[in-house]
Every structure is written in C-alpha cells, then in structure tokens.
Amino acid sequence: MTQIGLRLLFTMELLARSKEGEVKLEDLALSLQAPPSLIEKWLCDLKTKGFMELRGPEGSWIVVDKLGLALEAISLGASPESVSRWLHWRDFEKLCLKVFELNGFRTILSFRFKAIGHLHEVDVLAIKYPLLLAIDCKSWGIRSGKPSMLREAVKRQIKRVEALTSTLPGLKKRLGLEDGARIILTAVIVTLFEESLKIYAGIPIVPISKLNNFIQEIHAYLDSLSTWRMEL
C-alpha cells in the first residue's frame, strides 16, 4: 500500500473512532499495522492544522474539528459519502455548505427569517448571482419508507421557499443583494446516499457524492426545476 493510501486509512480510522472520544497512538499503529513514529508524525500534522488535540498524561488524542478531518480525508481521495457516514447531522450541513463555497457561492448556515407571522429556518442558503439556493440537508441512513419521507421533506422545503420569496425584498441587505437584482430562487435536498427518488415536484434530490457535479451543471438543469423568479 502506498503512503497516501495508508494516510487515507489513518484519517478514516480517526473519523470512525471520533465517537469513542480519546484515541491512543499505540492502538492506531496496531490497527493500521504502521510504525508508531509515522502515526505520531501524522497526528502532529493534524494537530498543527487544528483538527486534533493531545490530552492527558497518557498521551490520548481527541478529534476537535471533525469537519476539517472529513475534508482532509476527501482531499486524500475518500468519497464524500463514505466520509459523511461518520459525521453528525450538523457537520453534514457544514460539509454541504463547504461544497457550495468551493464553487464560489456565498453561504449562510441555519438561515432564520420571519414570514407571515412564522419563524422559518433553511439549513444552508447559497448565493451566487442570479442564483439563490435553499438547501435542506438530510443525513439519513438506511431506513424503510425514505421515498415517502423525502416527498414530505420536499413539500416542507417548498413551503420555506415560498415563505422566503414573500419576504425576500426585506432581506436583500442581510443577504447582500442589490436593488433591482433579478433572482432565481430554487430548493435542493442533499442526501447522504443516492436515493431512488431523484426529483419530486421539480425539486432535485442530490446525494452528497454528486453534489459538486450538480452545482457545476445547475444552469443546465434550471429549466426542468421548480424555480421562483423575482426582481428585488
């Protein structure tokens, strides 16, 4: 195995063990059948990046930035889907946000707004003129009844988008949008796994593994999606 391949296994092992709390250098070296000196070097590299911390007199390591560690694994060749399995739902939202940022979007996490007397929240709002995307992140594992659950998620997201549309002119300063800007607003559901249901009511259901490609090709899809177009 190449050293890059071994480092990827090392990083994925840290993600898998992050729920256990502390990790011992010796345990990692034994599990990966790698020299302890090499594992220590990699742990120190991650500490320098702010992803790991060394705690306690016995030399236990703990993950302090799981999202950073996940992005490290992806940079080494891991698929976003395999990495996301080890993430908390909040980290999954941040990973989705990061993919949009890497494609030049301005993003807002947990965007809250009031409309028609109710408080609404969108997991991730992504802005790249003229697009304004309302993203709902679903890190659901394997379970029965998901097509029905996804249809309900789409219906709820459409209601949020309609509420956002009704109050968008009053939010333009908060969102950094100019007077007279012509906006194309749409919704996206991002899932952990690729689902049998690909689109519902004109709203795309995109697995995290294909999110980057979807973003890069979104203008080609717009005519087939439900969109809300308005001038501010």
Side-chain angles (χ1 to χ4, degrees):
M1 180 182 295
T2 65
Q3 191 167 104
I4 291 178
L6 182 59
R7 180 147 189 174
L8 173 57
L9 286 179
F10 158 78
T11 309
M12 292 298 291
E13 184 77 8
L14 286 175
L15 280 172
R17 293 183 179 220
S18 61
K19 290 185 178 181
E20 301 173 7
E22 297 179 346
V23 179
K24 295 290 183 67
L25 185 155
E26 294 80 6
D27 293 341
L28 284 171
L30 182 62
S31 176
L32 296 169
Q33 297 184 339
S37 59
L38 182 61
I39 298 300
E40 183 176 22
K41 177 182 181 300
W42 287 345
L43 285 168
C44 289
D45 287 346
L46 294 177
K47 181 176 181 290
T48 300
K49 293 178 179 180
F51 304 158
M52 303 288 297
E53 280 187 4
L54 179 61
R55 294 183 179 177
E58 297 183 3
S60 296
W61 291 82
I62 188 168
V63 176
V64 293
D65 184 355
K66 191 181 287 189
L67 178 62
L69 192 61
L71 292 171
E72 177 85 0
I74 291 171
S75 74
L76 291 168
S79 70
E81 179 182 291
S82 64
V83 165
S84 296
R85 297 180 189 209
W86 304 110
L87 298 181
H88 183 266
W89 64 267
R90 176 60 74 179
D91 293 315
F92 183 71
E93 290 179 356
K94 292 177 181 177
L95 178 60
C96 294
L97 177 147
K98 190 67 177 179
V99 176
F100 279 94
E101 287 185 343
L102 291 172
N103 281 279
F105 282 78
R106 290 188 295 110
T107 59
I108 303 174
L109 184 67
S110 302
F111 182 74
R112 297 181 178 90
F113 63 97
K114 280 187 176 180
I116 320 174
H118 295 283
L119 182 65
H120 302 269
E121 181 174 336
V122 175
D123 289 346
V124 176
L125 208 60
I127 307 163
K128 186 178 182 181
Y129 186 80
L131 295 178
L132 177 58
L133 308 180
I135 299 104
D136 192 24
C137 306
K138 297 298 184 190
S139 58
W140 294 335
I142 298 172
R143 62 177 76 177
S144 61
K146 272 207 288 185
S148 176
M149 294 167 64
L150 284 169
R151 285 191 287 269
E152 288 303 313
V154 167
K155 291 175 184 176
R156 289 193 296 270
Q157 191 70 350
I158 287 174
K159 288 182 179 180
R160 293 186 193 104
V161 171
E162 290 174 341
L164 181 59
T165 301
S166 71
T167 192
L168 194 57
L171 295 171
K172 57 188 175 185
K173 286 187 178 180
R174 185 177 164 193
L175 297 176
L177 300 173
E178 297 180 357
D179 289 338
R182 294 183 177 181
I183 298 299
I184 303 173
L185 178 59
T186 192
V188 182
I189 307 293
V190 180
T191 58
L192 174 54
F193 298 109
E194 186 162 7
E195 305 293 345
S196 58
L197 189 64
K198 311 295 184 186
I199 189 168
Y200 179 70
I203 305 302
I205 299 167
V206 184
I208 185 69
S209 61
K210 295 184 177 179
L211 181 58
N212 191 63
N213 287 341
F214 171 80
I215 295 170
Q216 293 177 358
E217 299 171 2
I218 190 169
H219 286 281
Y221 300 139
L222 282 178
D223 288 342
S224 62
L225 302 181
S226 292
T227 58
W228 291 256
R229 299 170 187 250
M230 60 187 303
E231 183 175 338
L232 300 180

